[in-house]
Structures are given as C-alpha cells and as structure tokens.
Amino acid sequence: MMASAHSRKTLSLSGPGWLCDGEEVCIPHTWNSLDGADGSPAGEPPPSGGMSIAADSYLRKAARYSRRLPDPTPGMRQFVRFEAVSRKAEVYVNGRFAGSHVGAFTAFAFEVTDLLRSSDNVLEVVADNRWDPDVAPLSADYTLFGGIYRGVEWIETPQVCVDPVTDGACGVELDVNTNGTVKAKIRILGGPDEERVFKVENPELWSPESPKLYEREFAIESGDSVKVRFGFRTVEFREDGFYLNGTKRKLRGVNRHQDAGLCGWAAKPEDEDRDFALIAETGADAVRLAHYPQSPHVYDICDEKGILVWSEVPAINWLSASPKFKANLLQQAREMVAQNRNHPCVFAWSLFNEIYNDVPEDRAEEGWMEDILEEVRGEIKRMDPSRPVVAASDRPARRRLNDLPDQLAFNAYPGWYGDTTIEEDMANWFNASGRDILGISEYGAGGNPFEHLDPLPAGRLDPGGPVHPEETQVRLHAADYSAIAQDGRIWGSFVWAMFDFAADARREGGKNGINDKGLVTRDRFVRKDAFYFYKANWSKEPVLHVCSQRMAETTNAAVTVVGFSSCGDVTLLVNGHPVGTQTPDQVKVVTWTGVPLAEGENVIILETADGARAVRRIVRSTR
Ligand code: ADA
C-alpha cells in the first residue's frame, strides 16, 4: 500500500533531547551504570565475602525525565510507546496524566491525542526503580538498573488503527502452521477486530541452520498498516527430548542478562548485536533470556541468527501473597507473551527461576507460591497453547512446584556451590522429579581472568571468597559439560552465564559488584578460557586454544598445560622440545600436568598436524 496522508508515522524519541532530573541525557539511559556494579555500600565497609540481598547499594529513586514532543498532525491519533522503563513509569503530557506502567521488562504505549496542543508539547516520565512489595521480582542476584533504559517511539495513526496499546503488543497476533496457513488476528481501535487467513506456498522452515523469515504488511481500510515478521517451524517435547521441525536436537545454550557492559541495561542495538555475535561465535543454538523478557531487538536478532530463545517471566526467589503482586506478575507474563509471540525463535515460555518457600519442602503442596504460579501458567497457556512452558528449579523435592511446567530444568552448580558431582546431582534430580528427561538451565563457576592458580586444589573453593581462578572455571565447565553431553536424558543445557553481569551485592572473586560466571568479561574485552572450551565443542570453526595465557609468572618448577582442540591431535612443545602428543578427550580437552619449566621465560606451544599453533609464555622466577 502507498503511503498516504493517513498512513501510520513512527518516529524515534530515543537519543538526545531529554532531561533527567534537570540534566541532559540520551535515551536509552540509566542512572546506575556506575554504582550498579561497584559493590560498595555507602558508608559501610564491605563484608568479608559472599552476598546478601541487603548488601547492594545502588541508587533507587523516582527520577523525572522530560522532552518535547513532535507537533501532532491534525486529524491523526497520537501514541507514545516505551520499550521498557524500570521499574515503574508514570507518563504525563503537558502536565496531564497519560498512564502508568508497572514492571521493568516489557513495552507499553499510551494514547496521548487528547492531551496534545498544536505545538510546544512536553512529555514527562517519572521512572522509579525503588523496591515495591507488589512488583516482581522481589529479590534477585542482579542489579535492577533504573531509568528509561530502552527506546521510546512516537506513533501517529489514522482514527481507525491497528491497536498499538493493548499489552504493549503490535496489534497483530499470528497463528502460523508449517503447511503454510497463517491466521492473523488484527486488533483494531475505533472499529471491529479482524481475522484473516492467508497461505504461503511451500514455506521454507525456520531453524538455526536456516533461519528463514517472512514478512507481511497488514493494512486495514483506514490506511493504517503494521508489518510483522514470522517464520514456520514446530517446537515440541517428546518422551525422549526436544524436537524442532520434527528433528530431535539437544540444545546447546547460554544464559544472557541484559546488562550489556559498562552501559548497564541502557544498551543500544549495536551493543546487543555485539553480544549476540559473541554468542554465535561459540556456536550456541539457544539462549535463555535470564530472568525476564529482553528488548525487542534481542528477539529480532535471535530470529535472524537462528538462536532458539527461552523467554522468562520475572518470578524469582520470593513471591508475595498480596493480590496486587499476583496481578502484576500476571500482567508481566501477559505482556511478555503478547509482545513476543510472533517470533519463531521463542521455543518456550519460562514460568519461574528458583522459587523459595516458607513451608517445609515435604509439605510444599501447601505452598501458596505454587497457587500463584499455577495461575500464571494458566494465563500463558490460554494465550499461547502452541509453546511449552518450562521453568528453572533448584529444589528437587518441590514436587508440586516442579510439576507446574511442561518441561523442567534445574540450576546446578556442583563443585561450585555444592559438594556433589553433576552426575550425582543429575541422578538425584531425575529421581526426585520422576521425569524421564530434564534440562539444565544453569551451570557454571566464577572465573576472574586475572586470577590464576596452578595446581588447583583437589577440593572446592569458597565461592564467596576473594579468589576465583580462571582455571577453576575451566575445570568445572569441562567436567559439567562432559557429563551433560553424555547423558541422553538431558534435552538442553544453558551455561551460566555468557557474560559477567552487574550484581551489586556481590563481593567476591577479586571484584566487587560483579557476578563473574561469564564466559566473557562484563566489558566484553576478554573472552575467558571457558569461552574457547565451548567454541571448540560447538562451533564449526576449527579451534586450537591454550589456557592460562594471562598467567604471566610462576615460582613453581612445573605447570599444568590445558588446551582445547577441535582440529585433531595436539603436540605440546616446551621451549622447542616436544613433550608428547595427545588425542583430545570427548569434550576436546588435552591436559598435561607437571610440565617442567626452565628458569626465566618459557614458551609453551600446542601444535596440530596441519600446522595450527597456540602459544603461551610464562616466566619462572625462583624468588
Ligand atoms: C542462581 C540464580 C542466578 C545466578 C546464580 C549464581 O542459580 O538463578 O540468578 O545468580 O544463582 O550465579 O549464583
């Protein structure tokens, strides 16, 4: 359809031109980019180690943003749309109330037509990230950055228009069948809703290997129209695992928080592109968007790159019995589904992450938290019966909780938080869950790429302690992933986490305010050794990597040499002398222990038959 005087106009209100509490700022914006990840409580000495929910100290406030609005076109309707405001927003135009939204992770829009003058219109937004007992999440191991931290849009439409308001969704709901039939429900303001059916001949299926997308413009009689992208694919769980387009695949996933580095949550599309380029570099085919819905651009990238998405309701740790809290959780779940349902990348909606309880585990069926989550589950299923509901649990004994999702996954930290091995943990979980298949929604270990230890102690390190050697992270990932890869009952696993992220309450691993279980540092500058472990296992690119390259010096007479190779046998050379040749194990690891060093500089080389080389230098001093 040709653009006409009545066509929809969309204008970005992001970028400069905004004030926040009187200071010029650019949107996306947060006031916590520095204090949200420094881990230093004002006026209090940091505790010796570990984390407590009360220990964070970032600024929580209600801030007032403002900017001028474009002049409205007479005869059109005007809307402002926010991709997210953390955690509550009140919106005013020319001092008059336009609407409010509660919840940090989903989009919302308000009609402002009747509040506008012909020119000189001012938009004001009060963004408030203070803790509120009625807003999910109530507690979590990540910083809840405050602000208008995603994009803002101005939308003008004809009088009768595709609804940009309800649940913050685009107004077009698709039901896509792989036989090519697409049913579209178009929600209309100022007129009756419409249902349409159209057919795509011989549709190409969407998959990680071939992420084929289609686009369609839905125009209505008034001249308004909305473009929607979609894809054809089936997702299902069968008795023996996860199936995409009828083919079984074991998902190789990572967890991502939306903290995108030094900007915190105020990420620009290019920050998100960089993050997903790094995820794609590992060869992962799935991502868990922990622990909440992320930006529209993130779902777009995953559609385009063919990354399967686990999209999560922000129900974490504690729930509240207050009716307002439940209403808010239901609303956040509804918005997540309504806004993201057309994305072929989303393979599952997740109901919760690690829910605690105030009744003993053996009486957990009495738990009122389960009642709330059952309602949330019902709402998700009512809106979208086509996708499975999953959840991330850490409580094997909570049968009723664990039976709520269609498919269960566990957060497992053997060797890091627990004393068991992942095989023992898995056996316990399978037994307790009564299920034949399970996912691993989190596993991992802290890793500071500037802290090293060789040899590693046989036992467990203190996870809340000051030292998180990079070598421990590698050792635990290699052991965990080896067990995961060999267990045919695991339908998918998700590394915790792809990137280090802001968790202001943490003081550990030589760095305050950071959860350092990422494969890549928070500033995205350092791919840790564990990153290359996954790249060697998952990527199609040949990988030869030698670990501990940042361990510049030692006083030890010998070192451990660990490497990853997806290009065959590896020969170790120390100062030009061959030490031996190894065939990588089932997770592509080669290890030499007790490799003697000369005094002064040592050059350690891993070499493959086709001439690939990875080099590590280490100075041995006797001081
Ligand atoms: C939990 C939780 C995550 C993360 C992790 C950790 O499993 O689900 O949010 O914080 O612990 O790093 O300890």
Side-chain angles (χ1 to χ4, degrees), residues 141 291 353-354 411 413 417 442 496 501 506 515 517:
D141 175 28
H291 294 299
N353 178 66
E354 294 193 0
N411 295 345
Y413 290 90
Y417 293 131
E442 291 178 24
W496 189 262
F501 60 91
R506 284 187 180 264
N515 185 317
K517 298 188 189 71

Side-chain angles (χ1 to χ4, degrees), residues 46-52 55 462-466 468 504-509 512:
S48 55
M51 177 196 73
S52 99
D462 173 10
H468 288 177
D504 198 50
R506 284 187 180 264
R507 282 159 206 112
E508 59 188 40
N512 289 347

Side-chain angles (χ1 to χ4, degrees), residues 544 561 565 568-574 576-584 590 592 604-609 612-614:
L544 176 66
V561 178
S565 166
D569 288 3
V570 179
T571 300
L572 167 64
L573 300 146
V574 178
H577 303 297
V579 174
T581 299
Q582 283 188 21
T583 301
V590 287
W592 282 267
I604 295 169
I605 294 179
L606 297 187
E607 201 173 62
T608 58
R613 282 183 150 206

Side-chain angles (χ1 to χ4, degrees), residues 460-474:
R460 193 168 75 86
L461 288 171
D462 173 10
V467 185
H468 288 177
E470 193 174 9
E471 290 72 24
T472 310
Q473 191 187 30
V474 166

Side-chain angles (χ1 to χ4, degrees), residues 414-577:
W416 186 249
Y417 293 131
D419 281 331
T420 54
T421 64
I422 198 153
E423 290 93 337
E424 288 162 343
D425 262 4
M426 281 188 313
N428 293 341
W429 297 325
F430 274 115
N431 293 341
S433 73
R435 295 189 182 232
D436 295 328
I437 55 168
L438 280 179
I440 301 292
S441 32
E442 291 178 24
Y443 65 103
N448 181 337
F450 303 103
E451 288 182 335
H452 299 282
L453 202 55
D454 181 16
L456 285 173
R460 193 168 75 86
L461 288 171
D462 173 10
V467 185
H468 288 177
E470 193 174 9
E471 290 72 24
T472 310
Q473 191 187 30
V474 166
R475 176 159 86 183
L476 290 184
H477 273 288
D480 289 356
Y481 188 68
S482 172
I484 288 167
Q486 287 172 66
D487 195 320
R489 301 167 301 173
I490 307 263
W491 54 258
S493 57
F494 297 82
V495 172
W496 189 262
M498 182 64 205
F499 304 101
D500 291 351
F501 60 91
D504 198 50
R506 284 187 180 264
R507 282 159 206 112
E508 59 188 40
K511 227 167 190 227
N512 289 347
I514 302 286
N515 185 317
D516 64 357
K517 298 188 189 71
L519 303 181
V520 176
T521 51
R522 180 165 184 255
D523 58 16
R524 276 53 172 174
F525 290 164
V526 180
R527 292 166 171 86
K528 303 181 197 175
D529 287 334
F531 173 96
Y532 292 98
F533 170 76
Y534 287 99
K535 188 170 174 180
N537 277 283
W538 292 346
S539 163
K540 289 200 178 74
E541 262 181 63
V543 173
L544 176 66
H545 179 80
V546 60
C547 295
S548 305
Q549 289 177 44
R550 284 169 288 268
M551 188 194 293
E553 301 180 8
T554 183
T555 51
N556 294 346
V559 282
T560 308
V561 178
V562 175
F564 314 128
S565 166
S566 60
C567 21
D569 288 3
V570 179
T571 300
L572 167 64
L573 300 146
V574 178
N575 300 326
H577 303 297

